[in-house]
Amino acid sequence: MIENKNRKFFIETYGCQMNFSDSEIVASILSNEGFEASDDLLTADIVLLNTCSIREHAEDRVRKRLHYFRSLKKKNPGLTIGLLGCMAERTKTALMEVEQLLDLIAGPDSYRHLPELLGKVDSGQKAIDIILSADETYADINPIRLDSNGVSAFISIMRGCENFCSYCVVPYARGQERSRDPKSVIREAKDIFLQGFREVTLLGQNVNSYCWNEGAETMNFPGLLEQIAGLDSQLRVRFATSHPKDLGSELIKTIASYPNICKAIHLPVQSGSNAVLDKMNRKYSREEYLEKIRAIRSLIPGCTISTDIITGFCDETESDHKQTLELMQEAGFDSAFTFKYSERPQTLAADHYKDNVPAGVKERRLREIIELQHELSSASNHRDLGEIFEVLIEGESKRSDKQYFGRNSQNKVVVFLKTAQKPGEYVNVQVKRVTSATLIGEAV
Ligand code: 5AD
Ligand code: SF4
């Protein structure tokens, strides 16, 4: 077995924030075994690709990257190439056996075994572990913050998903839902605050169903959020993602009552048509969704609401599409992530429905959705003109070394001329100009 000391590993991450958080767990596990994290792909001994399979496009990008990695291996035959994450289960045969692109595959619940798996590769074998677990939460692992600005960090509070939306591969790729021990979450949040971080984002596929039982005691998501917010008023708390069916009044009240719980809620609606929502197995109606939006707007004034929308799902008609546009107007989303439906193997939709909206129609509907969202985002930013926001400074603006950028509680990016404060500190900024993506202001 090769001595691990000084062997350098490089991790490239695709997909969601959960995946970025997982890469930090992987980096911690490998560092504890003597491997060294590197940000230089060309001098690394081990290259790991943490993958996403939510849309076909994400998988295509990974395949392209793997071909590039294989070209590196021609120059450096000792290079180990590994695939981690959501694509592990689905693509094992194609990528490892048929295309011979990989030495190692580890699924999202197998990261503790990475040192052993790498040992197996060193002894000339292919290594694979894609078993999903019912209880792995990596609670005791202290993640190494990769690509960190030293100001904001992610903390995973649960794993897996059991909602089985008919289009979605996550329940198959990441397994059963399980919550992490709140004590370990609180410890991690305290620890990063002491390291100087001033913002944490609590992550899960559906944080609203977070639930931990110990003896007679139960902790739900609003309870956990309160505990983290109570650590220090200088620590901002965010969370993602919420399923509309589970977002209740207790959570809304908790957000409203702590100034350091950020006033920004991501609430994926997916479609504005009841027929499509039903087919997607979302378990709420358009009316119920809009009722939640009204509750948020009335109990948390100034809260921004963002969403995810899929266009062109199976059998989606022009009238369904119009209902999505109308719902967007009515909800007045501040921002949105928008996607064309992409059929995923194993899912209920792939097995039972036809992906029958023509590509050109999906394209046009997506364009209409993006155009409308552009107007809504721009209107939302215009409403902020003249307002004063508390901004947490994240770093120097990309455009100019004379400017800082940061975010307000509503999760909008704010750019302003540098002040005496440093990244990680708060400053009040008055908004003077806006674009559809950014607020531009002056410290006051
Ligand atoms: N096709 C297109 N978009 C999808 N999403 C999830 N599955 C698919 C799919 N098969 C989108 C949803 C989800 C976001 C993370 O990705 O909008 O909220
Ligand atoms: Fe992609 Fe979903 Fe996996 Fe995140 S959980 S990496 S979004 S497939």
Side-chain angles (χ1 to χ4, degrees), residues 14-16 18-19 51-54 86 169-170 173-174 205:
Y14 290 78
C16 61
M18 287 290 295
N19 245 20
T51 61
C52 172
S53 39
I54 199 128
C86 297
V169 76
V170 172
R174 299 186 79 100
Q205 301 297 342

Side-chain angles (χ1 to χ4, degrees), residues 74 123 207 268 293 356 405:
K74 287 208 180 99
S123 64
V207 292
I293 300 286
N356 54 3
F405 85 98

